[in-house]
Each structure stands twice: as C-alpha cells, then as structure tokens.
Amino acid sequence: MSNRQPNAFHRAFPAREFFRGSARSVVFWSFINGLLLAFLLILFFLILDLLDHRGQISVQGVERVQQLQEILTSPEPEAPAEATEPSEEPAEPKADTDEVAAAEEKPAPEPEPKAAPATEKSAATPDRLVLSDTGILPSVWWTHSKYHLGIMKSVYQRVTLLQQNQSALFTLILVALVVASIRVLIRWRCRLRSLKVSHHISTTLRNMIHRQALRLGPGDLSGKETDQAFHLFIQDVGTVQNGVFHWVYGLTRHTVTLAILLLIAVSIDWRLTLQCIIPLAAAWYFLMQHRKDYDLQHARTLVTIDTELSLLAENLRSTRLVRGYGMENPEHEQFQKHLAKYTENLEKLKRVEGWGHRIARGLAVFCSCLVVFLVGYKVLVNPDSLPLSAAVLVVGIFGFFYLPVNGLHELFRVREESTVAASSIYRYLNLIPEVGQAVGAKFLEPMSTALQFENVTYSLTPSSPPILKGFDLKIPAGTTTALVSLEKLAPRAVSFLVPRFIEPRSGRVLIDGEDTAWVTLESLRAEAIFVSGNDPCLTGTVKDNIRCGDERYSLQEVIAASKESHAHQFIQGLPQGYETVLGQHGEDLTTGECFRLGLARALLRKPALMIIEEPEGPLDEDTKTLLEDAYSRIFQNRTVLVIPSRITTLRRVDQVVVIHEGKVEAVDSQSNLLKKSALYRHWEYTRFNQFRHSQDTPIEQR
C-alpha cells in the first residue's frame, strides 16, 4: 500500500485558503512585489541605455524630428491672463555645438557649418536633429517609437533630474535602491505572513494529534503508538509546516516573478522571446529527465557497491576457518575477485557522475551561447528595434528565469514530501479507538465482592497472535495479587483490561458481577486506578501533579496522600516544596521519587482497586525501605494487582498468578509456587538470579 494519499496535503491546506487571511495577504503583496520587480527592470534598462548612449541622440526626417521636439516640449503650466505669448520653442538640452543657444537669441546671418539646425527658430522644421547630454531621452525616444506610450514622455518632461546625464544616473540609481529596499521589506512581510499560515496549520494538526493520542494512548501496550504519535507530532507536522510555508511563500512569489519576466521579455520582442524560450524549455526538460535517470542509476550502483563491500567484510569473519583448513590461497583469490568488482563499480559510479555533470554543464553553456547569439544577431541586424541595453536586459531576463523555474520545481518536491507526511498524520487521525462508552452505561459502585475475567481473549490487532487466550481468573475483593509471565505484555494486558484501557476481543471482565463494558468510564477509572513506575512526571507543580488539575482536593489532602506514599519527605526538600515545577524545564526526580509521586496521586482518590506496575529501573536502598512501609498501608482494605519487579513484593502479596500462553497456568503463594510450579521457578530464576545477568543490567533482588 502506498504511503502517499494524493489529497493529504490539500486536506491540510486547501486551495481556498489562498484567498483567506494571511495567505491572501501573501498573494497581494507578492503581486505588488512583482510589479516592483518590473519597475526595477525598467530602471535597470534605463541605466544601461544611459551608459550606452551617454545622453546622445540623432534623429533624421522631418516627421521624426517633430516627434522628438514634442517630447522635448515641457508641459505648460496654467498661465495668467496677462501672460506673454507662449514661445513655440521648448526648453531644450544642449546641442552638439555652442552656436545653438545663440541662434535662439538673434538670427544669424549665416549659421556655422556644423551648427545643429534643429535648434534654430525657422519657418521650416529641420530634417536632422543631434543632441547630447539629454539624460534618458534616448530611452524615452525608443520606448515612445516602439510602444507609442506617453508615460515615459510625461515622466521625462516633468522630472528635470532625468534630463541631464549625471543627475539622471544618480536619480535612477537612487530610485533603484529605494525600490530594491521596498522589495526586501515586502518579501520579509510575505515570509512572516507565510510563517503565520504554516504555524496555524501545524498548530491545528498538533491539536488533532494530541486529542487523538488521548483517545488512543491508554491502550498502548507496547509503546509503539506513543512513539508513533511523538514522531508525527514532531517530525511529520514539522515537514507539513515547512511544506505549507514554502507552498504559500514560494508558489505566489515564483509564479508572479516568472510571469513578470516573461511579460517584459515578450514586450521587448515576442519573436526573439519565443526563439529563446523553445530551446531553453527543451533543455530544461532534458535535464530533468536526465536527473531522474541519473538518480535511479546512482542508487542502483550504490546498492551494488554496498553488496560487494559486505562480501569483502564477510571475509574478515572467516579467518579462523581459513587458517585452520589452509585455505589462504583460495580465500585470497576470492577476496581479490570481490575487490576488483568493488573497484569496477566505484569507477562506474564516477563515470556516471562525471557524464551527468558534463551533460548538464554542456547544455547550460550551449543554451547560454544560443540565447546570446540570437539576441546579438538581432542587435546587429536591426539595432533600432533592439538597442544594446534592451538586448542585455533580455539576456539577463533569460538568465534570471532559472531561479523561479528551479524554485517551482523544488516547491513541488517539497510538496511531495509534505504529502507523504500529511498522509501519515491523517492515517493516524483516522484510527478509531477500540474503547468507547456504551449508550446507557451504569454508574459503578466501589468494588466489594470480586474481580473476574471470563474466557478473555486479546491481541494487539485482529491478525496478530493472541496475548491472552481463554483467560479465566477470579480475584476476591480485599486481596493482593501479583501477575507474572514469561511474555512481558500478558500481565500488562490483564491490568489494562480492568480500567478498560483496552477491550477484549472476546470474553468479559466483571466487577461485582457487572460487565465493565456497560459501566461509565468515569466511574470505572475512579475506582480502578493504574499506577506505573515507568510513567514520567507531568509538566507543572508537584501539587498539580498529584491533584491532576482537580481543584476539589485541598492541599491538606494532597499532603496526607504524599505522606501515605512516603513522598512528603523528598517533596519538602525541593526548592519550593509542593509549588516546585516539574517536567522538562523544571526539577528532575529519580525513578523512585516519580513512582512514589504516582502512588500519592492514586491514593488521593481513595480507589477500591489499585493496579501497580513497579518501575523497571534500579531503586536505592532508602526507596526500597520506604516502599515496603508504603505497601503495608496501601495493601490494607483494598484490592491490589501488582506487576512486580522486586522479589520482596512477590513475598508480600496474597497470591501470584502465573500466565503462560495467554492462560492462567498456576495461582498460589510465592513460596508454594517455588515448590510446585517449574514454570514459576524458571521465571523467577531468569528474572532475579544475579548470575543470569551482567553487572551492567542489575536486577532488583529485594
């Protein structure tokens, strides 16, 4: 079955979310950022054209000269009624000769041979006009001639700083810096908004996982479901969060950028753009296909290399046989054979990598040269339609294409990873808890007669081997019982069945004759409390750890329960006593202290039935002594089930139940079982005999 559900990422972040809240803001600001990119490219073109022409322009033809003179004509302000007759001549930049200005003041009897006739006031319009130091006038003239737009003309006429070379260069660079700074701020804002969207999605998923873990967690016998929930909570939600962030931030930014670049390139010369786009797209497709084939071949070669390396390493383990049977020569030949294959595969891997890089670089160089050739040829053939500055801009646009295109490619790869992670999350969220409260469930009174298991069968999954199979047991009220088995999960399964953390596949669990499947979970778990020595402390104060947020219990009751479990003494030694914060960012407790705190938590509620799973870790001598005294109080007037980890607990209980292959093998006191049950003797020997274990893993003897 595939790990990927195609709609999993869409389920976590539907497309309609782009038009809501922060995501909509990202789309809007990305569009504004794209417009600023277009403006920045126009400024770049103007700067290049200014450096190329240096403000010099030459126009031939009466009609073209008239059009240029219209551009040079500044817009007239609204004049008062007594104003003099407006001049027919505009304020013009310097011509190529100094005599132009004099020609406007008084008519010259004979103009100089090289004076610019365009600046003379005459009845006829000259057919040639040559101007210098005109700022961005050549760019304005080219755009006006090509697009017939009045925007550049209007800007040039109104902004005097653009009418001279030095001031125009300074102004263009200054405006470009301001626009670039605004784009940086907008991108920063988009990132923050995208982070907000991804944080909202991750928070929602983590809340859902937390609720689901609370629903499924009590029945986790092996701990695998808890580990799975932890991994989903940290790793997979983090992957989805990263995917949503890049999807919101990258999709809008790269799409708008690509559209702006393509639009500007088409507006400059659509034929040239098409001629360049086709080979670039073909080369990109070829490179993507080559990358897939290369990755597949690379992975296969690595597997072969690992296999040969394992064979070489295996030879090191057979040295005794080789020397003992005189196989040095055959073994050496075999080793050299595998070594030669290993070397051959390494060379193959190098060749694959080498050819891959050569092909990629060769295509990149070829496409770059092709674009430069096409653009350069256009400049040489028809420089009026494509000046050098526009050609450089086109080449720069095609070079810049790589960033958004590659960004979109990586974006879909990130989305694929996020889809796999989201699929795992939603599969976990779709799990149905096996325990639920029945309609019309009864309130359970405190246990007074017996706890009984009737032909109970249980397995982790319907297809897995049964942990309990036909399990029958009756425990009288007020007695203490230890559950032992060679199978680690069997005693825990029996314990989990009582408070209905898990449900039997078949059979019943009865408390005073009432089927626990038909009583309320709240009343059942209030009277049958499970205490595990392997549970961590809750994050919060010591008092909150014992009360579990239930304000009905006073501090005096909390202290009384702590004294009964011998937790009060070490609590008093903490920095703030019962107000000391525990958990990841608080005080750390030892295994024995956590266990006694758990006993106090249970004793505060005064349950009729307690289920105690002793800690697996080692306990110090003081803790052992205190637990002995605490047990003497806990075991009085209460039914207790114990999963023991200490031999002294086995000697204290009324009876020991030996479980084997899912059934009750024997029930008796510990001393009698030592005499009668070979299975119990084997269990106790493997569990507690010190010679069966190394010093690194000491086993509790008391």
Side-chain angles (χ1 to χ4, degrees):
M1 184 180 295
S2 175
N3 290 329
R4 178 181 177 274
Q5 300 175 8
N7 62 340
F9 184 82
H10 176 74
R11 183 177 174 185
F13 184 74
R16 62 178 178 272
E17 293 296 326
F18 270 111
F19 307 99
R20 298 178 180 176
S22 297
R24 180 174 58 188
S25 175
V26 173
V27 175
F28 171 76
W29 286 110
S30 295
F31 179 74
I32 298 299
N33 211 26
L35 295 180
L36 291 178
L37 174 63
F39 185 46
L40 200 60
L41 291 174
I42 293 174
L43 292 175
F44 180 67
F45 160 72
L46 293 177
I47 293 173
L48 287 178
D49 202 56
L50 177 61
L51 297 177
D52 179 33
H53 291 91
R54 294 182 295 280
Q56 296 180 357
I57 183 170
S58 175
V59 177
Q60 292 183 351
V62 175
E63 183 178 355
R64 291 169 63 87
V65 169
Q66 289 178 348
Q67 293 177 356
L68 183 59
Q69 288 178 343
E70 290 178 2
I71 296 176
L72 292 171
T73 304
S74 300
E76 297 181 4
E78 295 183 0
E82 65 273 16
T84 59
E85 182 180 353
S87 174
E88 296 180 0
E89 293 298 323
E92 297 177 351
K94 289 192 299 181
D96 286 345
T97 62
D98 295 333
E99 289 79 7
V100 175
E104 293 185 0
E105 296 294 334
K106 56 182 179 178
E110 287 188 18
E112 301 251 347
K114 295 186 179 180
T119 60
E120 297 185 26
K121 182 181 293 185
S122 62
T125 302
D127 62 350
R128 185 171 184 270
L129 186 62
V130 180
L131 303 173
S132 63
D133 195 18
T134 60
I136 64 169
L137 181 60
S139 305
V140 175
W141 171 249
W142 182 75
T143 55
H144 181 73
S145 302
K146 183 176 181 64
Y147 303 108
H148 303 289
L149 296 177
I151 299 177
M152 294 287 292
K153 170 185 173 182
S154 178
V155 171
Y156 181 78
Q157 291 174 345
R158 285 175 169 80
V159 182
T160 57
L161 291 175
L162 299 178
Q163 297 173 4
Q164 292 184 350
N165 292 350
Q166 294 182 357
S167 60
L169 181 62
F170 176 79
T171 303
L172 291 175
I173 293 177
L174 181 61
V175 174
L177 288 175
V178 172
V179 173
S181 301
I182 295 175
R183 291 192 75 243
V184 170
L185 293 177
I186 292 178
R187 287 185 62 178
W188 173 73
R189 181 181 180 87
C190 290
R191 285 183 65 88
L192 290 183
R193 292 289 183 174
S194 302
L195 284 172
K196 184 178 180 180
V197 174
S198 63
H199 177 70
H200 172 71
I201 298 298
S202 65
T203 301
T204 302
L205 291 176
R206 287 192 169 109
N207 281 329
M208 296 167 67
I209 292 173
H210 182 259
R211 289 195 297 268
Q212 181 72 343
L214 292 179
R215 297 169 65 201
L216 301 176
D220 186 16
L221 275 179
S222 61
K224 292 182 179 179
E225 292 181 5
T226 302
D227 293 340
Q228 179 188 9
F230 186 83
H231 183 272
L232 292 173
F233 192 87
I234 301 297
Q235 300 293 334
D236 289 348
V237 173
T239 301
V240 174
Q241 180 180 0
N242 182 65
V244 171
F245 166 74
H246 284 91
W247 188 249
V248 174
Y249 178 66
L251 183 63
T252 53
R253 182 168 68 94
H254 294 316
T255 303
V256 171
T257 300
L258 193 61
I260 291 296
L261 293 176
L262 189 61
L263 182 63
I264 293 177
V266 169
S267 65
I268 293 175
D269 193 318
W270 68 269
R271 291 186 179 87
L272 179 63
T273 301
L274 188 62
Q275 292 172 353
C276 296
I277 283 289
I278 292 177
L280 287 175
W284 177 264
Y285 176 78
F286 177 80
L287 283 176
M288 291 300 102
Q289 292 299 119
H290 172 73
R291 181 183 294 181
K292 291 181 180 179
D293 297 339
Y294 165 74
D295 291 340
L296 181 60
Q297 189 174 0
H298 186 270
R300 290 176 178 174
T301 307
L302 285 179
V303 170
T304 306
I305 289 175
D306 290 340
T307 302
E308 295 296 334
L309 195 60
S310 299
L311 291 173
L312 290 172
E314 283 294 328
N315 293 329
L316 301 177
R317 300 178 180 178
S318 58
T319 54
R320 180 179 55 82
L321 290 174
V322 172
R323 295 302 300 272
Y325 288 92
M327 300 169 55
E328 288 86 348
N329 291 334
E331 177 64 20
H332 183 70
E333 293 176 359
Q334 190 73 9
F335 179 82
Q336 292 298 327
K337 178 181 177 182
H338 290 302
L339 185 61
K341 290 183 178 179
Y342 174 75
T343 305
E344 180 182 352
N345 285 310
L346 280 179
E347 293 297 328
K348 181 180 178 181
L349 181 63
K350 292 179 181 178
R351 287 195 300 271
V352 170
E353 293 178 348
W355 279 110
H357 291 305
R358 293 190 188 99
I359 292 175
R361 291 174 181 174
L363 274 176
V365 171
F366 173 77
C367 291
S368 301
C369 293
L370 181 61
V371 169
V372 172
F373 171 76
L374 292 174
V375 175
Y377 181 78
K378 185 76 173 181
V379 172
L380 292 176
V381 172
N382 193 356
D384 292 335
S385 64
L386 187 69
L388 182 61
S389 54
V392 173
L393 181 62
V394 170
V395 173
I397 287 175
F398 284 120
F400 198 67
F401 265 167
Y402 174 80
L403 294 179
V405 171
N406 188 66
L408 288 173
H409 180 266
E410 291 297 319
L411 188 64
F412 283 97
R413 182 188 62 80
V414 172
R415 171 170 171 150
E416 188 73 17
E417 295 177 356
S418 302
T419 300
V420 175
S423 300
S424 301
I425 292 172
Y426 284 111
R427 277 200 304 272
Y428 177 76
L429 295 177
N430 291 334
L431 295 177
I432 300 175
E434 58 177 322
V435 177
Q437 183 166 294
V439 179
K442 303 177 182 179
F443 183 84
L444 179 68
E445 298 293 337
M447 178 177 166
S448 59
T449 306
L451 169 65
Q452 187 173 358
F453 297 85
E454 286 187 353
N455 195 29
V456 171
T457 299
Y458 177 77
S459 58
L460 292 175
T461 62
S463 59
S464 60
I467 297 173
L468 300 177
K469 185 177 181 181
F471 183 82
D472 289 296
L473 178 65
K474 186 173 184 179
I475 300 174
T479 60
T480 56
T481 304
L483 304 173
V484 301
S485 176
L486 293 173
E487 296 88 10
K488 182 179 179 179
L489 295 182
R492 186 176 292 180
V494 175
S495 302
F496 278 26
L497 284 168
V498 179
R500 285 191 69 201
F501 292 156
I502 59 177
E503 289 279 59
R505 303 291 176 187
S506 62
R508 299 189 303 167
V509 180
L510 307 173
I511 294 180
D512 294 343
E514 289 283 349
D515 190 345
T516 56
W518 296 98
V519 301
T520 62
L521 291 174
E522 182 180 1
S523 62
L524 173 62
R525 292 173 182 174
E527 296 300 330
I529 295 183
F530 182 87
V531 180
S532 175
N534 304 313
D535 287 339
C537 294
L538 303 174
T539 300
T541 64
V542 174
K543 181 175 65 176
D544 292 337
N545 263 267
I546 298 176
R547 291 198 308 187
C548 295
D550 195 336
E551 300 294 336
R552 294 177 300 172
Y553 300 107
S554 65
L555 180 59
Q556 288 74 18
E557 291 175 304
V558 170
I559 293 174
S562 301
K563 289 180 177 179
E564 190 174 357
S565 66
H566 283 295
H568 179 71
Q569 183 177 0
F570 82 80
I571 293 174
Q572 288 292 91
L574 295 174
Q576 285 83 36
Y578 283 87
E579 298 299 328
T580 303
V581 177
L582 305 178
Q584 184 176 4
H585 301 291
E587 295 290 328
D588 292 329
L589 300 182
T590 64
T591 302
E593 290 171 344
C594 284
F595 182 45
R596 281 180 281 162
L597 199 67
L599 291 175
R601 185 185 300 125
L603 291 171
L604 179 63
R605 288 149 179 83
K606 298 179 173 58
L609 172 61
M610 279 186 67
I611 307 159
I612 301 174
E613 182 182 34
E614 293 191 311
E616 297 178 354
L619 303 175
D620 57 80
E621 294 299 324
D622 290 340
T623 300
K624 297 173 187 176
T625 304
L626 294 174
L627 281 178
E628 289 301 316
D629 185 68
Y631 281 170
S632 64
R633 304 177 188 184
I634 294 172
F635 289 3
Q636 290 180 2
N637 303 320
R638 182 181 284 118
T639 307
V640 180
L641 297 181
V642 183
I643 302 176
S645 64
R646 304 185 313 127
I647 192 66
T648 53
T649 305
L650 288 166
R651 294 167 182 167
R652 174 181 288 276
V653 298
D654 298 326
Q655 60 183 2
V656 178
V657 177
V658 182
I659 306 172
H660 184 59
E661 295 182 351
K663 298 181 179 180
V664 175
E665 181 71 17
V667 179
D668 212 330
S669 65
Q670 186 262 353
S671 57
N672 290 336
L673 286 175
L674 281 174
K675 300 174 184 177
K676 300 177 181 179
S677 175
L679 181 63
Y680 176 78
R681 287 196 300 271
H682 174 69
W683 176 84
E684 187 174 303
Y685 176 75
T686 57
R687 180 81 178 180
F688 298 112
N689 192 290
Q690 61 180 341
F691 299 107
R692 301 287 297 172
H693 305 275
S694 66
Q695 295 179 355
D696 295 333
T697 56
I699 299 298
E700 186 62 63
Q701 293 297 306
R702 291 187 55 195

